[in-house]
Amino acid sequence: MQRPSWDQYFMDITHLVATRSTCLRRQVGAIVVKERNILATGYNGVPSGISHCETVGCLRERLSVPSGERHELCRGLHAEQNAIIQAARHGINIDASTLYCTTMPCVICTQFTGNKNRWWWSTAEIDRRLKPTVN
Protein backbone atom coordinates (compact mmCIF):
# COMPACT_ATOMS: atom_id res chain seq x y z
CA MET A 1 0.00 0.00 0.00
CA GLN A 2 1.40 3.37 -1.00
CA ARG A 3 1.02 6.19 1.50
CA PRO A 4 -0.17 9.57 0.19
CA SER A 5 2.23 12.50 0.19
CA TRP A 6 1.79 14.97 3.04
CA ASP A 7 0.17 17.45 0.66
CA GLN A 8 -2.29 14.84 -0.60
CA TYR A 9 -3.04 13.71 2.97
CA PHE A 10 -3.86 17.27 4.03
CA MET A 11 -5.92 17.92 0.88
CA ASP A 12 -7.94 14.77 1.58
CA ILE A 13 -8.69 16.09 5.07
CA THR A 14 -9.57 19.49 3.60
CA HIS A 15 -12.19 17.85 1.36
CA LEU A 16 -13.67 16.14 4.43
CA VAL A 17 -13.81 19.49 6.28
CA ALA A 18 -15.77 20.92 3.32
CA THR A 19 -18.60 18.45 4.02
CA ARG A 20 -19.44 20.49 7.16
CA SER A 21 -20.34 23.53 5.01
CA THR A 22 -23.83 24.93 5.41
CA CYS A 23 -23.77 26.92 2.16
CA LEU A 24 -26.51 25.95 -0.26
CA ARG A 25 -24.44 26.81 -3.33
CA ARG A 26 -20.95 25.48 -2.71
CA GLN A 27 -19.00 23.44 -0.16
CA VAL A 28 -15.45 24.66 0.54
CA GLY A 29 -12.99 23.47 3.18
CA ALA A 30 -9.71 24.87 4.48
CA ILE A 31 -7.09 23.77 6.98
CA VAL A 32 -4.02 25.54 8.35
CA VAL A 33 -0.96 23.31 8.76
CA LYS A 34 2.43 24.02 10.28
CA GLU A 35 5.25 21.49 10.61
CA ARG A 36 2.84 18.70 9.56
CA ASN A 37 0.36 19.55 12.33
CA ILE A 38 -3.18 20.79 11.73
CA LEU A 39 -3.62 24.09 13.58
CA ALA A 40 -7.16 25.03 12.51
CA THR A 41 -9.94 24.07 10.14
CA GLY A 42 -12.72 26.04 8.49
CA TYR A 43 -15.55 25.64 6.04
CA ASN A 44 -17.74 28.20 4.32
CA GLY A 45 -20.85 29.19 6.19
CA VAL A 46 -22.31 31.75 8.54
CA PRO A 47 -20.48 32.78 11.73
CA SER A 48 -21.27 30.97 14.98
CA GLY A 49 -24.63 31.90 16.47
CA ILE A 50 -26.28 32.93 13.19
CA SER A 51 -28.97 30.83 11.53
CA HIS A 52 -27.63 28.64 8.74
CA CYS A 53 -28.62 29.25 5.12
CA GLU A 54 -30.20 25.80 4.98
CA THR A 55 -32.66 27.11 7.63
CA VAL A 56 -33.38 30.67 6.47
CA GLY A 57 -32.50 30.47 2.79
CA CYS A 58 -29.93 32.16 0.58
CA LEU A 59 -30.53 35.70 -0.66
CA ARG A 60 -28.00 35.31 -3.48
CA GLU A 61 -29.80 32.16 -4.64
CA ARG A 62 -33.19 33.86 -4.40
CA LEU A 63 -31.93 36.79 -6.54
CA SER A 64 -30.14 34.46 -9.01
CA VAL A 65 -26.80 36.17 -8.39
CA PRO A 66 -24.04 34.38 -10.35
CA SER A 67 -21.17 32.78 -8.45
CA GLY A 68 -18.37 35.22 -7.70
CA GLU A 69 -20.59 38.32 -7.74
CA ARG A 70 -22.28 40.48 -5.09
CA HIS A 71 -20.50 38.92 -2.11
CA GLU A 72 -21.93 41.63 0.13
CA LEU A 73 -25.31 39.87 -0.06
CA CYS A 74 -23.91 36.69 1.50
CA ARG A 75 -24.14 36.18 5.26
CA GLY A 76 -21.49 33.48 5.17
CA LEU A 77 -17.73 33.57 5.53
CA HIS A 78 -15.19 31.86 3.31
CA ALA A 79 -13.61 28.65 4.58
CA GLU A 80 -10.18 30.33 4.72
CA GLN A 81 -11.60 33.17 6.81
CA ASN A 82 -13.20 30.72 9.24
CA ALA A 83 -9.93 28.77 9.61
CA ILE A 84 -7.98 31.97 10.32
CA ILE A 85 -10.65 33.14 12.80
CA GLN A 86 -10.57 29.76 14.56
CA ALA A 87 -6.78 29.97 14.94
CA ALA A 88 -7.02 33.52 16.29
CA ARG A 89 -9.81 32.60 18.70
CA HIS A 90 -7.54 29.96 20.22
CA GLY A 91 -4.40 32.11 20.17
CA ILE A 92 -2.63 29.98 17.55
CA ASN A 93 0.18 31.60 15.56
CA ILE A 94 -0.26 30.73 11.87
CA ASP A 95 2.83 32.60 10.66
CA ALA A 96 4.86 30.51 8.17
CA SER A 97 2.06 27.96 7.87
CA THR A 98 0.43 26.34 4.85
CA LEU A 99 -3.25 26.88 4.14
CA TYR A 100 -4.85 24.03 2.22
CA CYS A 101 -8.14 24.84 0.50
CA THR A 102 -10.49 22.97 -1.81
CA THR A 103 -10.76 26.02 -4.06
CA MET A 104 -8.50 28.78 -5.28
CA PRO A 105 -8.67 31.58 -2.70
CA CYS A 106 -10.08 34.99 -3.49
CA VAL A 107 -7.80 38.03 -3.30
CA ILE A 108 -9.11 39.07 0.12
CA CYS A 109 -8.50 35.64 1.65
CA THR A 110 -4.99 35.61 0.18
CA GLN A 111 -4.31 38.99 1.78
CA PHE A 112 -5.52 37.74 5.18
CA THR A 113 -2.61 35.35 5.49
CA GLY A 114 0.13 37.79 4.59
CA ASN A 115 3.13 36.98 2.45
CA LYS A 116 4.90 34.49 4.72
CA ASN A 117 2.42 31.69 4.23
CA ARG A 118 2.05 29.08 1.50
CA TRP A 119 -1.19 28.09 -0.23
CA TRP A 120 -2.14 24.70 -1.60
CA TRP A 121 -5.44 24.11 -3.37
CA SER A 122 -7.17 21.47 -5.40
CA THR A 123 -5.88 21.09 -8.95
CA ALA A 124 -9.42 20.20 -10.02
CA GLU A 125 -10.43 23.75 -9.08
CA ILE A 126 -7.59 25.22 -11.12
CA ASP A 127 -8.61 23.08 -14.11
CA ARG A 128 -12.23 24.25 -13.75
CA ARG A 129 -11.26 27.94 -13.57
CA LEU A 130 -8.72 27.86 -16.36
CA LYS A 131 -10.76 25.73 -18.77
CA PRO A 132 -11.35 27.71 -21.96
CA THR A 133 -14.95 28.72 -22.54
CA VAL A 134 -16.60 27.85 -25.82
CA ASN A 135 -18.80 30.53 -27.36
Side-chain angles (χ1 to χ4, degrees):
M1 181 169 115
Q2 185 176 354
R3 294 170 64 183
S5 68
W6 282 106
D7 288 328
Q8 185 59 55
Y9 171 74
F10 289 127
M11 276 309 299
D12 289 347
I13 293 170
T14 305
H15 283 281
L16 182 61
V17 170
T19 65
R20 293 281 305 152
S21 171
T22 58
C23 179
L24 300 175
R25 301 181 100 186
R26 190 170 188 199
Q27 285 65 52
V28 179
I31 65 172
V32 181
V33 175
K34 190 175 190 177
E35 299 172 2
R36 296 184 180 164
N37 291 290
I38 297 172
L39 303 180
T41 65
Y43 49 86
N44 60 322
V46 297
S48 297
I50 296 177
S51 297
H52 295 291
C53 298
E54 58 195 7
T55 305
V56 298
C58 173
L59 182 58
R60 293 178 73 223
E61 187 74 24
R62 203 169 330 135
L63 297 174
S64 300
V65 175
S67 181
E69 296 180 15
R70 304 286 316 271
H71 291 286
E72 73 276 7
L73 297 177
C74 183
R75 299 175 316 115
L77 296 173
H78 289 186
E80 307 92 317
Q81 293 168 335
N82 274 323
I84 292 166
I85 290 167
Q86 183 186 73
R89 180 180 288 159
H90 295 285
I92 299 170
N93 179 358
I94 64 168
D95 191 37
S97 63
T98 300
L99 195 145
Y100 292 83
C101 188
T102 58
T103 186
M104 199 178 324
C106 72
V107 172
I108 294 170
C109 286
T110 304
Q111 292 170 338
F112 277 3
T113 64
N115 60 4
K116 293 185 179 178
N117 297 338
R118 186 172 82 103
W119 286 82
W120 184 275
W121 57 82
S122 171
T123 56
E125 175 65 14
I126 296 169
D127 292 344
R128 183 184 70 79
R129 287 194 181 199
L130 299 181
K131 182 178 180 182
T133 57
V134 178
N135 293 331

